[in-house]
Amino acid sequence: MKRSNLSIYILLAFCVMQGCGKSFLEKKPLGLANEELLATKSGVDAVLIGAYSLLDGVGSGYTFTSSASNWIYGSVASDDAYKGSDVGDQAQITTIERYVSQPDIAAFNEKWITVYDGVSRANDVLKLIKKTTDMTEAEVAQATAEARFLRAWYHFEAKKMWNMVPYVDDNVTDFINLPNDKDIWPMIEADLQFAVDNLSATKKDVGRASQWTAKAVLAKVHMFQQDYEAARPLLDDIINNGPFELVSNFHDNFKVATENNIESILEVQMSVGDGGSGQNGFWGDNLNFPYGSGPGGCCGFFQPSQNLVNAFKTDESGLPLLDNFNDVDVKNDEGLASSDPFEPYTGNLDPRLDWTVGRRGIPFLNWGIHPGRNWIRDQSFAGPYTFKKFFAANGDNAGAESPRANSNNYRALRYADVLLMRAEIAVEDGDLTSALDLVNQIRRRAANEVVTKDDGTPAATYVIREYPSFPSQDYARKAVRFERRLELALEGHRFFDLVRWHVAAETLNTYLEKEKQKRTYLQGASFTAGKNEYFPIPQAQIDIMGADVLKQNQ
C-alpha cells in the first residue's frame, strides 16, 4: 500500500540486475527519514501532518478520481450533475454515471488506494508514538486522537463507497490477507469516540480536528446507520454548546477570503504559490473549470444537471416546488451560440442557485457575465451549465503554479449540515416544530445575499421565504431532504444521502427517465436496487489479495 515499499522493491530489483552484495541491504538508504529520526515530538507531528495532507485525495498521485470533494461519486453519480466535457473524455466517469458496475475501471482502484494510503499514514503516526520518549502524556493523547480521527475518516470514505471493506489498524502486519467479511461501523465509531474523549476542544491549527469535529463526524456516522438515538445527543451538544454558527451569507462558505469561518467544522486546506506544482490547490477538481475562453481554460467537467437547476425554482410564496419542480425546465441557452441573443429565466428562484451553478447571462463571481456556449465544451452532450460553488474569484489565485490550481478550501463538513441532520431526526421523532425551526434557519440565511449585476440590482428574480408550517410528517420529511439538496448541492453528499435514506433507486430512476430525453448517453441507463447503492470493489485489489480474501459486492 505504501509508496515507500515500492522504493524498496525497486532497489531490490536493481540489486538483482547489478549483482549487489548483501552488505548493500544492510546500509540505511540516504535521504530517507527512518523511525529513529522521527521518534520525537516534532517527528510525530510531521508524520501526522502527512496524514492530514491526504484529506485532499491527491497525495497518492491521483487527482480527480480521488478528490476530497467526491464530485464523481457523490454528485455525478447522483441527480445533481453530469460528467461534463465531451463523450470521449474520461469515459470511465460516464460508466459510473450510468450505473454500470464495472470493477476494472481505474477510478475505483485509485480511490481505494488513496483512502487506504490515508489509513496507512494514520497508522504510521500511531506506531511512531509508541517509540517516542519526549512527549508528555497529554501530547500523546492528543496526537493519538488526531491520528485515530483521520483513520476513522478514511475508513468512513471507504465504507460509503463500498460498504464491506477491510478495517486496518496499527496492529495489522499482513494487509494482503485481511478480508472484508466484517461490518466496520463499530471500529469507525470506536476511533471517533476516542477522538471525542481525547481531542482538545479548540484546534491547534485551522486544518486540524477538534473534539467538536470528532463529535460531528461521529454523529454523521450514526446517521448513515439511521441510529438516531446515538446521533441526537451529539448533534444537540454541538448546537447548544459548540463553537459553530451559520455565517451571515451563504456564499461566505465558498470564498477564499472567508475560509475557516465559524460555520466550518472540517475544512480541507488548499494553497497556491507555495513553490509546488500546484497540486496543493484543490487539484482533485482541476478538471472542473469552464472550457475554452473561460477561467482556467480547461476542461469543462462536472456540469450541473438540468434537474438540479430546476430544483431551485420557488413558487409565489418563495417555497420550493417539492413535487413538481422538474415539470418545466428553467430556461437555458442550450443550442445557442454566445453571440445569439438570450434572456435568462425570469421566474422565481432560490438565490443559492446562482452561487452554486454558472449559467448564461448571470455574473460568474467577478469573472464577468457567463457567456454560455463559449465556456462549454459540448452543450449537446452535457448541457449548458458550469460548476461554480468552490470556484475562486479572479485575483484569489495570484502566484498560482497553474491557472487551474485553486486556493479555495473544500468545506468537508459545515454547521448547516449539522442543523439539517438534526432536522431529519426531529422529523422522525414527530417533532415537526423543531424540524421547521432548523430548516428555516437555513432558508433565512439563504435570503441574505443574492448575485447582483454591476449596477447592484439582482441578477435574477430571487424569491425565498421560510416555511410557515410543516402540516404532516411526510411533508416535513420531503422538505428537510429537499432543503439538504439545495443547501449542499455539488458538495459531494447527494448520492450518499439518497443511499442512506433508502430512496436511491426510486429517485435516480425518476431522474433518468426525463434526463435521457436530453442527454442521449443516458439512454438505457438505470439504477438497480440492491446492487448500485455501492460501487464495485476494484478488481485490481481482488487480484492482489485473492477472491477468497476480498469478496466482490453483489
Side-chain angles (χ1 to χ4, degrees):
M1 294 299 294
K2 300 180 188 176
R3 285 174 290 162
S4 57
N5 290 343
L6 180 61
S7 300
I8 294 171
Y9 299 150
I10 293 172
L11 288 172
L12 290 173
F14 178 82
C15 284
V16 171
M17 291 185 292
Q18 299 296 322
C20 295
K22 290 183 179 180
S23 60
F24 173 85
L25 299 176
E26 296 169 0
K27 294 179 181 179
K28 294 179 181 178
L30 298 176
L32 295 178
N34 58 46
E35 288 187 351
E36 294 176 12
L37 294 175
L38 293 173
T40 63
K41 176 183 175 180
S42 60
V44 166
D45 198 50
V47 177
L48 182 58
I49 290 171
Y52 273 108
S53 73
L54 205 53
L55 285 174
D56 68 358
V58 175
S60 289
Y62 306 114
T63 54
F64 57 90
T65 56
S66 53
S67 174
S69 69
N70 277 325
W71 66 270
I72 297 174
Y73 313 107
S75 296
V76 172
S78 78
D79 47 2
D80 273 5
Y82 314 124
K83 180 206 76 173
S85 184
D86 59 29
V87 65
D89 202 354
Q90 292 299 327
Q92 63 172 330
I93 305 176
T94 302
T95 301
I96 295 171
E97 189 178 356
R98 287 173 47 81
Y99 309 111
V100 177
S101 296
Q102 190 171 323
D104 60 348
I105 66 173
F108 297 136
N109 193 47
E110 291 164 3
K111 178 70 172 179
W112 179 284
I113 290 173
T114 300
V115 295
Y116 277 106
D117 192 2
V119 169
S120 179
R121 293 187 188 192
N123 283 331
D124 284 343
V125 176
L126 297 172
K127 294 173 185 176
L128 195 60
I129 288 172
K130 297 174 184 177
K131 300 181 179 181
T132 305
T133 59
D134 67 341
M135 297 175 70
T136 66
E137 185 175 340
E139 289 168 343
V140 166
Q142 175 73 19
T144 301
E146 288 188 66
R148 290 189 66 173
F149 169 83
L150 290 170
R151 184 169 70 185
W153 178 265
Y154 294 124
H155 276 114
F156 186 21
E157 284 288 286
K159 179 70 173 172
K160 290 190 300 183
M161 287 282 296
W162 297 289
N163 190 26
M164 296 301 290
V165 293
Y167 175 82
V168 188
D169 66 17
D170 49 309
N171 296 311
V172 171
T173 58
D174 186 11
F175 177 75
I176 297 298
N177 291 308
L178 191 64
N180 60 334
D181 58 352
K182 296 181 179 64
D183 186 345
I184 70 167
W185 282 130
M187 295 82 138
I188 293 173
E189 290 173 8
D191 276 340
L192 289 171
Q193 187 60 56
F194 184 91
V196 168
D197 294 339
N198 291 278
L199 283 174
S200 58
T202 58
K203 298 179 180 181
K204 178 181 175 183
D205 299 300
V206 290
R208 295 181 188 252
S210 71
Q211 179 187 90
W212 295 105
T213 313
K215 287 180 180 179
V217 176
L218 181 55
K220 194 160 192 172
V221 164
H222 290 311
M223 293 296 290
F224 266 73
Q225 302 170 78
Q226 296 188 318
D227 187 353
Y228 303 136
E229 291 298 315
R232 188 187 300 105
L234 288 164
L235 295 171
D236 285 343
D237 189 20
I238 294 167
I239 292 169
N240 296 327
N241 305 308
F244 311 110
E245 61 184 61
L246 295 177
V247 293
S248 297
N249 296 318
F250 174 73
H251 186 53
D252 283 346
N253 288 297
F254 314 107
K255 294 194 299 189
V256 173
T258 49
E259 291 174 336
N260 301 302
N261 59 45
I262 199 167
E263 187 169 335
S264 180
I265 297 176
L266 178 61
E267 190 159 325
V268 181
Q269 308 298 304
M270 308 293 176
S271 66
V272 298
D274 50 14
S277 62
Q279 290 193 357
N280 291 333
F282 216 152
W283 206 241
D285 281 48
N286 74 328
L287 300 182
N288 304 336
F289 282 69
Y291 187 65
S293 63
C298 174
C299 298
F301 283 79
F302 196 23
Q303 293 182 240
S305 71
Q306 184 66 53
N307 183 287
L308 175 64
V309 172
N310 292 344
F312 285 92
K313 291 188 295 185
T314 59
D315 62 18
E316 64 279 2
S317 301
L319 298 177
L321 310 178
L322 299 179
D323 295 312
N324 60 351
F325 73 94
N326 205 39
D327 288 355
V328 179
D329 289 343
V330 169
K331 180 183 176 184
N332 64 64
D333 68 321
E334 185 168 343
L336 297 178
S338 291
S339 58
D340 293 337
F342 174 75
E343 289 295 328
Y345 180 75
T346 57
N348 294 351
L349 293 169
D350 185 318
R352 287 173 291 188
L353 169 63
D354 289 324
W355 296 120
T356 302
V357 174
R359 60 191 184 102
R360 183 169 175 184
I362 305 298
F364 192 84
L365 303 180
N366 62 347
W367 292 90
I369 301 297
H370 195 299
R373 191 168 186 171
N374 284 353
W375 285 10
I376 307 293
R377 191 161 191 167
D378 185 349
Q379 277 191 343
S380 64
F381 176 68
Y385 305 111
T386 58
F387 174 67
K388 185 177 184 179
K389 203 165 201 177
F390 284 105
F391 207 91
N394 190 9
D396 282 343
N397 287 334
E401 300 84 355
S402 163
R404 292 180 286 124
N406 189 343
S407 61
N408 208 349
N409 289 351
Y410 171 62
R411 284 70 164 178
L413 183 58
R414 53 191 181 90
Y415 186 59
D417 194 339
V418 165
L419 294 179
L420 290 168
M421 286 191 288
R422 186 60 183 90
E424 284 186 43
I425 296 176
V427 169
E428 301 310 319
D429 288 344
D431 182 3
L432 304 190
T433 300
S434 293
L436 178 70
D437 174 68
L438 290 161
V439 167
N440 279 340
Q441 288 184 49
I442 302 292
R443 296 186 64 77
R444 196 178 309 132
R445 189 269 296 277
N448 289 346
E449 181 186 33
V450 302
V451 174
T452 58
K453 302 175 185 177
D454 289 341
D455 62 4
T457 60
T461 306
Y462 301 119
V463 182
I464 181 172
R465 296 188 180 92
E466 299 173 34
Y467 285 95
S469 67
F470 283 163
S472 68
Q473 186 180 48
D474 286 343
Y475 182 94
R477 184 180 295 112
K478 187 180 298 183
V480 169
R481 292 179 179 182
F482 206 91
E483 196 66 29
R484 186 170 177 86
R485 185 186 190 190
L486 299 174
E487 176 72 16
L488 303 176
L490 303 181
E491 295 182 43
H493 305 299
R494 176 66 172 171
F495 177 80
F496 303 114
D497 281 342
L498 294 175
V499 170
R500 70 181 178 86
W501 292 331
H502 303 295
V503 298
E506 173 190 352
T507 304
L508 295 174
N509 283 325
T510 299
Y511 159 75
L512 288 169
E513 193 60 36
K514 185 167 183 179
E515 288 296 322
K516 64 182 61 174
Q517 300 171 28
K518 302 181 178 73
R519 313 272 74 91
T520 57
Y521 70 92
L522 290 176
Q523 291 178 5
S526 65
F527 187 101
T528 302
K531 174 183 178 182
N532 294 127
E533 287 85 356
Y534 298 100
F535 299 105
I537 290 175
Q539 188 61 46
Q541 298 302 317
I542 294 176
D543 292 343
I544 291 169
M545 299 174 68
D548 57 331
V549 175
L550 192 61
K551 304 290 187 182
Q552 183 58 271
N553 284 330
Q554 294 297 320

